[in-house]
Amino acid sequence: MEFSNTEAGFMAFRAWVEDIAEKHGKTAVIPGMEPAGHYWFALGKFLQDNGMRPVHVNPHHVKKSKELDDNNPNKNDRKDPKTIAALVNEGRFSYPYIPTGIYAEVRSLSNLRFQTQDELTRIKNRIAR
């Protein structure tokens, strides 16, 4: 399933997952993903807030698994979901740390501090030039 990185997209994904789980009589779902930069943060938070615990598979393992499956290891986004699902099924995943409450605020403040320091350095360099 393809969905947008928006709340509406996440709701559509959740409905799709719940429909499949119900059809197959499953009570728990493990959504697996390959962490791609910062793009997974919003989805991970949404899943966590909706009672699912997302997991990550190592991008290197995805690439190597595709190499073992066939002789064309080039990037093929159509094969990735199947490979990621196989890795999750085999238990080859890790749980990301998604802070909540005060810990989420501390992380945000820490990131804001780093951004502010970088901006301050840029401004000082501009003045020096």
Side-chain angles (χ1 to χ4, degrees):
M1 176 190 182
E2 189 173 310
F3 59 94
S4 62
N5 196 16
T6 63
E7 187 172 0
F10 297 159
M11 295 297 281
F13 173 73
R14 183 175 135 203
W16 179 73
V17 167
E18 289 173 351
D19 183 50
I20 290 175
E22 186 179 318
K23 281 182 186 174
H24 296 281
K26 304 297 179 186
T27 57
V29 176
I30 301 174
M33 65 184 86
E34 184 179 21
H38 62 278
Y39 299 105
W40 71 271
F41 289 135
L43 176 60
K45 176 92 172 86
F46 175 83
L47 293 171
Q48 182 174 299
D49 290 348
N50 284 275
M52 293 183 231
R53 192 162 182 204
V55 297
H56 285 172
V57 295
N58 187 324
H60 181 71
H61 293 163
V62 172
K63 182 176 187 234
K64 290 297 180 185
S65 294
K66 283 195 303 190
E67 286 176 1
L68 291 174
D69 289 344
D70 65 9
N71 294 330
N72 186 7
N74 295 332
K75 183 70 175 165
N76 183 346
D77 290 334
R78 295 187 63 83
K79 274 194 276 183
D80 283 357
K82 187 176 180 180
T83 305
I84 292 168
L87 290 170
V88 171
N89 191 39
E90 294 169 5
R92 296 173 59 191
F93 59 82
S94 63
Y95 291 103
Y97 174 65
I98 303 173
T100 58
I102 189 73
Y103 301 106
E105 292 177 29
V106 169
R107 177 180 271 186
S108 294
L109 287 174
S110 177
N111 289 338
L112 184 59
R113 179 176 178 267
F114 288 132
Q115 290 171 358
T116 305
Q117 285 179 322
D118 288 345
E119 185 64 27
L120 183 60
T121 300
R122 280 193 287 276
I123 291 169
K124 285 180 180 178
N125 288 342
R126 242 187 247 155
I127 291 171
R129 281 192 298 261

